[in-house]
Amino acid sequence: MTPNVKRPRRKLVARPVTFSPFARSAAHLASAYMIKRQMIENKLHESCQHTPNGKCCGQRNIDETDSDSDEESSEGVVQADFAFFDPKPDDFHGVKTLVQTFLDNEEWNLSGFVDLILEQTTVGTVVKLEDEDDDGLFSVVTALNLGRYKASDIYMQLALELDHKCMKELEEYILSVCHESNLVEQLRLLFSKRARDVGLLVSQRVVNLPPQLLPPLYDALFDEVSWAVEDEPTEELRNSFRFKTYLIVTKIYKHKKANGKLEKKADNEEEPVIYVKAEDELFHELSSWSFSFPLKIQHVTSSEASIYLLIFNNILCPRTLPSFSFFTLIFLFGTLRANTKAPVTVPSAVSYNVNLLVSAEELRINGVGYGSRSRQNPHIPTAVALSDRR
Amino acid sequence: MATRLQFENNCEVGVFSKLTNAYCLVAIGGSESFYSIFETELADVIPVVKTSIGGTRIIGRLCAGNKNGLLLPHNTTDQELQHLRNSLPDSVVVQRIEERLSALGNVIACNDHVALAHTDLDRETEELIADVLGVEVFRQTIAGNILVGSYCALSNRGGLVHPHTSIEDLDELSTLLQIPLVAGTVNRGSEVIAAGMTVNDWTAFCGSDTTATELSVIESVFKLREAQPSAIVDEMRKSLIDSYV
């Protein structure tokens, strides 16, 4: 197996459900061939948007106008071909920059954490330019099993002490910022007894990454998780990807409403919460519970977002579900496809909600990008200029 | 001895500190552990001074100095200038200079005897460097980069330069500077040497991402293993090996 081969993961056609290893490998080959053919047909332009029907819609004229001009003209656009790669040790600096403010300005073993992300080549994606020489990393997405990095006995504890204390520090930080006592107990449970079923979803990207990349990116992640459940070499590793719960740590902007102050008429348009990453809004709604806490880092914001002065970190815990039915939830961001037959029966109430959400989202996917529900403008994140400089 | 540390999760310690044989400058606002690591190492030998330059924390890249003097950019405030004059030993001449290229730490690389300067530096600045720092100034480039202050770290006993420096360049620089030079990296492959580490004649501070290999290269080229602070007074510069391979 060639470890560093570029595997574009833009699934454009529904993959058949397969159960036997032979059928699986046949399906793999078939889909790889399809992808290659489709790649030759539609180049991975930023402007290409794929609807559930497999049609290419919403071709923006990004690549036609001023593509060769410099960035000086305000209309000048840059054409870029993005590609998805497996994490490699060489990506260390890029990933570290993206994950720098993962835990606010807390001092913790960040390099160790980045190493853990890069070690896990089977699940996880980095987004770079298609040209292999470029080192610039635009996004990293991965899911880490919390229980995997825990020591089962005292000897392992000593061995893991140095390498994986980043996970311990992460858990301690999360426990320390949670101010709701009932949730603290739940968190403690998640970090100790149920750690084997918990996946930490790490998704960081540059602010102006084209949103068209996001559905394939998340599709790729959850595909890899389901493949890992079947394909990992050892039993332990396979089980470690059977996530029942995902934990997401992310940043949002919350409107600073001073209590008791009357809002100006103009502010009626303003929303209480702005999600830096569009998918966070969906995750938030789907989550079982969440809490937010203030960040200590001061962000320099543009005037548009200046009213959103308080910045909160949101920790979401999506619905605890058997893993297959969770996949049906996630499909609503990307190309809808045939439901996988879950071996575990899903409670009817949950499936009802799933169906509702799915149908609501179907309408919106046909729009520009897959922006959030309440706004048509998916570019809100770019209006908010984030900078860590004081 | 070389120490690994970080400033607020950032491994670029050469940006937030400036170490010479006579004093050490540290940026304010970092955690106390950052400050205390410097204190533990440098103890009573040299003063450790907390400061900002022009209100910023990137003091290592804005100023250039050695045991004889310290050069500050034009945007240093009067209070900062005064604070530095008060805190540093009297033998150190503190001077604020008017130079268009105001990131002096990026354009000047120096030890106590010789300095490398950016090719576009003003003539007046070059003279000031020679006066205030008491060094001989050479306009040079390192691996084709004109920001000589960023891509090399010098002490009186050795130097570490950009990893892509050719052998001929290494030889030439080594002859100019009269110290052994080695091309290497710091902070797990970072080429910006001076941002990733800071060094004087008996100790060095590197970012915490620095690998063990990089650290051993640093310790050997700067001869930190057997160095004692009291022994470094005025050594006779022997004619040393021109460059390590």
Side-chain angles (χ1 to χ4, degrees), chain B residues 30-41:
Chain B
S31 63
E32 275 313 304
S33 65
F34 182 72
Y35 194 49
S36 68
I37 291 177
F38 278 94
E39 292 257 278
T40 344
E41 273 297 313

Side-chain angles (χ1 to χ4, degrees), chain B residues 19-52:
Chain B
L19 181 62
T20 68
N21 288 325
Y23 54 87
C24 177
L25 304 180
V26 185
I28 52 180
S31 63
E32 275 313 304
S33 65
F34 182 72
Y35 194 49
S36 68
I37 291 177
F38 278 94
E39 292 257 278
T40 344
E41 273 297 313
L42 303 171
D44 303 314
V45 189
I46 55 176
V48 179
V49 181
K50 268 184 172 176
T51 182
S52 65

Side-chain angles (χ1 to χ4, degrees), chain A residues 124-143:
Chain A
T125 308
V126 294
V127 177
K128 297 200 269 204
L129 291 179
E130 203 163 312
D131 176 10
E132 292 248 7
D133 294 341
D134 194 346
D135 260 342
L137 225 100
F138 294 90
S139 173
V140 61
V141 168
T142 189

